[in-house]
PDB file of all heavy atoms in Angstrom:
ATOM      1  N   GLY P   4      -3.117   3.961   8.859  1.00 71.00           N
ATOM      2  CA  GLY P   4      -2.578   2.622   8.838  1.00 71.00           C
ATOM      3  C   GLY P   4      -2.833   1.911  10.119  1.00 71.00           C
ATOM      4  O   GLY P   4      -3.219   0.663  10.086  1.00 71.00           O
ATOM      5  N   SER P  11      -8.881  -4.702  11.014  1.00 90.00           N
ATOM      6  CA  SER P  11      -8.665  -5.987  10.389  1.00 90.00           C
ATOM      7  C   SER P  11      -8.539  -7.069  11.594  1.00 90.00           C
ATOM      8  O   SER P  11      -9.082  -8.156  11.627  1.00 90.00           O
ATOM      9  CB  SER P  11      -7.443  -6.036   9.566  1.00 90.00           C
ATOM     10  OG  SER P  11      -7.514  -5.459   8.423  1.00 90.00           O
ATOM     11  N   ALA P  18     -13.753 -13.608  14.073  1.00 97.00           N
ATOM     12  CA  ALA P  18     -13.858 -14.854  13.166  1.00 97.00           C
ATOM     13  C   ALA P  18     -13.161 -16.039  13.818  1.00 97.00           C
ATOM     14  O   ALA P  18     -13.862 -17.151  13.971  1.00 97.00           O
ATOM     15  CB  ALA P  18     -13.234 -14.504  11.890  1.00 97.00           C
ATOM     16  N   GLY P  27     -15.074 -26.104  19.734  1.00 98.00           N
ATOM     17  CA  GLY P  27     -15.261 -26.445  21.159  1.00 98.00           C
ATOM     18  C   GLY P  27     -16.585 -27.124  21.438  1.00 98.00           C
ATOM     19  O   GLY P  27     -16.604 -28.146  22.201  1.00 98.00           O
ATOM     20  N   VAL P  30     -16.240 -30.720  19.920  1.00 97.00           N
ATOM     21  CA  VAL P  30     -15.456 -31.584  20.731  1.00 97.00           C
ATOM     22  C   VAL P  30     -16.016 -31.887  22.055  1.00 97.00           C
ATOM     23  O   VAL P  30     -16.045 -33.137  22.411  1.00 97.00           O
ATOM     24  CB  VAL P  30     -14.072 -30.927  20.988  1.00 97.00           C
ATOM     25  CG1 VAL P  30     -13.282 -31.654  22.099  1.00 97.00           C
ATOM     26  CG2 VAL P  30     -13.243 -30.951  19.737  1.00 97.00           C
ATOM     27  N   GLY P  40     -22.622 -40.498  27.708  1.00 96.00           N
ATOM     28  CA  GLY P  40     -23.926 -40.712  26.964  1.00 96.00           C
ATOM     29  C   GLY P  40     -24.783 -39.544  26.958  1.00 96.00           C
ATOM     30  O   GLY P  40     -25.923 -39.693  26.591  1.00 96.00           O
ATOM     31  N   ASN P  42     -25.408 -35.395  25.425  1.00 94.00           N
ATOM     32  CA  ASN P  42     -24.949 -34.517  24.300  1.00 94.00           C
ATOM     33  C   ASN P  42     -25.104 -33.064  24.649  1.00 94.00           C
ATOM     34  O   ASN P  42     -25.871 -32.787  25.619  1.00 94.00           O
ATOM     35  CB  ASN P  42     -25.658 -34.810  23.095  1.00 94.00           C
ATOM     36  CG  ASN P  42     -27.199 -34.600  23.198  1.00 94.00           C
ATOM     37  OD1 ASN P  42     -27.882 -34.683  24.254  1.00 94.00           O
ATOM     38  ND2 ASN P  42     -27.804 -34.164  22.110  1.00 94.00           N
ATOM     39  N   ALA P  46     -26.212 -28.746  19.582  1.00 97.00           N
ATOM     40  CA  ALA P  46     -24.811 -28.668  19.225  1.00 97.00           C
ATOM     41  C   ALA P  46     -24.680 -28.463  17.698  1.00 97.00           C
ATOM     42  O   ALA P  46     -23.694 -27.712  17.276  1.00 97.00           O
ATOM     43  CB  ALA P  46     -24.106 -30.132  19.549  1.00 97.00           C
ATOM     44  N   SER P  61     -14.664 -13.111   8.347  1.00 94.00           N
ATOM     45  CA  SER P  61     -13.261 -13.136   7.736  1.00 94.00           C
ATOM     46  C   SER P  61     -13.323 -12.483   6.249  1.00 94.00           C
ATOM     47  O   SER P  61     -12.332 -12.024   5.764  1.00 94.00           O
ATOM     48  CB  SER P  61     -12.880 -14.549   7.633  1.00 94.00           C
ATOM     49  OG  SER P  61     -13.540 -15.303   6.817  1.00 94.00           O
ATOM     50  N   TYR P  66     -11.146  -9.005   1.650  1.00 87.00           N
ATOM     51  CA  TYR P  66     -11.293  -8.020   0.586  1.00 87.00           C
ATOM     52  C   TYR P  66     -10.372  -6.890   0.834  1.00 87.00           C
ATOM     53  O   TYR P  66      -9.743  -6.416  -0.089  1.00 87.00           O
ATOM     54  CB  TYR P  66     -12.729  -7.604   0.620  1.00 87.00           C
ATOM     55  CG  TYR P  66     -13.875  -8.476   0.061  1.00 87.00           C
ATOM     56  CD1 TYR P  66     -15.031  -8.626   0.755  1.00 87.00           C
ATOM     57  CD2 TYR P  66     -13.626  -9.213  -1.148  1.00 87.00           C
ATOM     58  CE1 TYR P  66     -15.959  -9.505   0.232  1.00 87.00           C
ATOM     59  CE2 TYR P  66     -14.586  -9.966  -1.692  1.00 87.00           C
ATOM     60  CZ  TYR P  66     -15.650 -10.160  -0.979  1.00 87.00           C
ATOM     61  OH  TYR P  66     -16.691 -11.019  -1.435  1.00 87.00           O
ATOM     62  N   THR P  73      -5.694 -13.970  -8.073  1.00 56.00           N
ATOM     63  CA  THR P  73      -5.476 -13.324  -9.411  1.00 56.00           C
ATOM     64  C   THR P  73      -4.641 -14.267 -10.204  1.00 56.00           C
ATOM     65  O   THR P  73      -4.108 -15.356  -9.731  1.00 56.00           O
ATOM     66  CB  THR P  73      -4.739 -12.015  -9.287  1.00 56.00           C
ATOM     67  OG1 THR P  73      -3.465 -12.286  -8.555  1.00 56.00           O
ATOM     68  CG2 THR P  73      -5.615 -11.028  -8.523  1.00 56.00           C
ATOM     69  N   SER P  78       1.314 -12.315 -13.466  1.00 60.00           N
ATOM     70  CA  SER P  78       1.983 -11.293 -12.620  1.00 60.00           C
ATOM     71  C   SER P  78       3.382 -11.740 -12.363  1.00 60.00           C
ATOM     72  O   SER P  78       4.231 -10.831 -12.072  1.00 60.00           O
ATOM     73  CB  SER P  78       1.215 -11.049 -11.334  1.00 60.00           C
ATOM     74  OG  SER P  78       1.128 -12.304 -10.589  1.00 60.00           O
ATOM     75  N   ASN P  83       5.884  -5.883 -13.220  1.00 73.00           N
ATOM     76  CA  ASN P  83       5.537  -4.456 -13.449  1.00 73.00           C
ATOM     77  C   ASN P  83       4.489  -4.085 -14.421  1.00 73.00           C
ATOM     78  O   ASN P  83       3.787  -3.069 -14.218  1.00 73.00           O
ATOM     79  CB  ASN P  83       6.931  -3.665 -14.027  1.00 73.00           C
ATOM     80  CG  ASN P  83       7.921  -3.650 -12.925  1.00 73.00           C
ATOM     81  OD1 ASN P  83       7.758  -3.782 -11.696  1.00 73.00           O
ATOM     82  ND2 ASN P  83       9.150  -3.708 -13.377  1.00 73.00           N
ATOM     83  N   THR P 112     -33.579 -10.089   4.276  1.00 98.00           N
ATOM     84  CA  THR P 112     -33.757  -9.676   5.610  1.00 98.00           C
ATOM     85  C   THR P 112     -34.883  -8.722   5.846  1.00 98.00           C
ATOM     86  O   THR P 112     -35.714  -8.911   6.647  1.00 98.00           O
ATOM     87  CB  THR P 112     -32.532  -8.865   6.153  1.00 98.00           C
ATOM     88  OG1 THR P 112     -31.428  -9.801   6.090  1.00 98.00           O
ATOM     89  CG2 THR P 112     -32.645  -8.384   7.575  1.00 98.00           C
ATOM     90  N   GLU P 120     -40.577 -16.219  12.932  1.00 97.00           N
ATOM     91  CA  GLU P 120     -39.768 -17.480  12.658  1.00 97.00           C
ATOM     92  C   GLU P 120     -38.544 -17.452  13.680  1.00 97.00           C
ATOM     93  O   GLU P 120     -37.981 -16.470  13.949  1.00 97.00           O
ATOM     94  CB  GLU P 120     -39.230 -17.598  11.361  1.00 97.00           C
ATOM     95  CG  GLU P 120     -40.231 -17.911  10.293  1.00 97.00           C
ATOM     96  CD  GLU P 120     -39.571 -17.922   8.988  1.00 97.00           C
ATOM     97  OE1 GLU P 120     -38.973 -18.884   8.562  1.00 97.00           O
ATOM     98  OE2 GLU P 120     -39.741 -16.821   8.260  1.00 97.00           O
ATOM     99  N   ASP P 124     -33.482 -25.182  16.950  1.00 96.00           N
ATOM    100  CA  ASP P 124     -33.038 -25.732  18.219  1.00 96.00           C
ATOM    101  C   ASP P 124     -32.803 -24.735  19.233  1.00 96.00           C
ATOM    102  O   ASP P 124     -33.158 -24.802  20.369  1.00 96.00           O
ATOM    103  CB  ASP P 124     -31.734 -26.527  18.073  1.00 96.00           C
ATOM    104  CG  ASP P 124     -31.873 -27.830  17.281  1.00 96.00           C
ATOM    105  OD1 ASP P 124     -33.022 -28.379  17.331  1.00 96.00           O
ATOM    106  OD2 ASP P 124     -30.910 -28.157  16.607  1.00 96.00           O
ATOM    107  N   THR P 137     -26.512  -9.752   7.447  1.00 98.00           N
ATOM    108  CA  THR P 137     -26.530  -8.622   6.455  1.00 98.00           C
ATOM    109  C   THR P 137     -25.533  -7.567   6.857  1.00 98.00           C
ATOM    110  O   THR P 137     -24.872  -6.924   5.958  1.00 98.00           O
ATOM    111  CB  THR P 137     -27.971  -8.029   6.458  1.00 98.00           C
ATOM    112  OG1 THR P 137     -28.918  -9.065   6.082  1.00 98.00           O
ATOM    113  CG2 THR P 137     -28.094  -6.893   5.504  1.00 98.00           C
ATOM    114  N   THR P 139     -22.757  -7.953   8.502  1.00 97.00           N
ATOM    115  CA  THR P 139     -21.443  -8.441   8.199  1.00 97.00           C
ATOM    116  C   THR P 139     -21.184  -8.331   6.766  1.00 97.00           C
ATOM    117  O   THR P 139     -20.029  -7.940   6.335  1.00 97.00           O
ATOM    118  CB  THR P 139     -21.373  -9.948   8.788  1.00 97.00           C
ATOM    119  OG1 THR P 139     -21.619  -9.970  10.009  1.00 97.00           O
ATOM    120  CG2 THR P 139     -19.938 -10.547   8.572  1.00 97.00           C
ATOM    121  N   LYS P 159      -0.972   0.823  -0.250  1.00 66.00           N
ATOM    122  CA  LYS P 159      -0.770  -0.437   0.550  1.00 66.00           C
ATOM    123  C   LYS P 159      -2.125  -0.689   1.116  1.00 66.00           C
ATOM    124  O   LYS P 159      -3.006   0.102   1.371  1.00 66.00           O
ATOM    125  CB  LYS P 159       0.113  -0.191   1.651  1.00 66.00           C
ATOM    126  CG  LYS P 159       0.409  -1.432   2.407  1.00 66.00           C
ATOM    127  CD  LYS P 159       1.442  -1.051   3.585  1.00 66.00           C
ATOM    128  CE  LYS P 159       1.689  -2.303   4.319  1.00 66.00           C
ATOM    129  NZ  LYS P 159       2.295  -2.121   5.557  1.00 66.00           N
TER     130      LYS P 159
END
Side-chain angles (χ1 to χ4, degrees):
S11 290
V30 169
N42 66 328
S61 66
Y66 287 137
T73 57
S78 63
N83 293 333
T112 300
E120 291 179 78
D124 295 329
T137 302
T139 305
K159 187 178 178 195

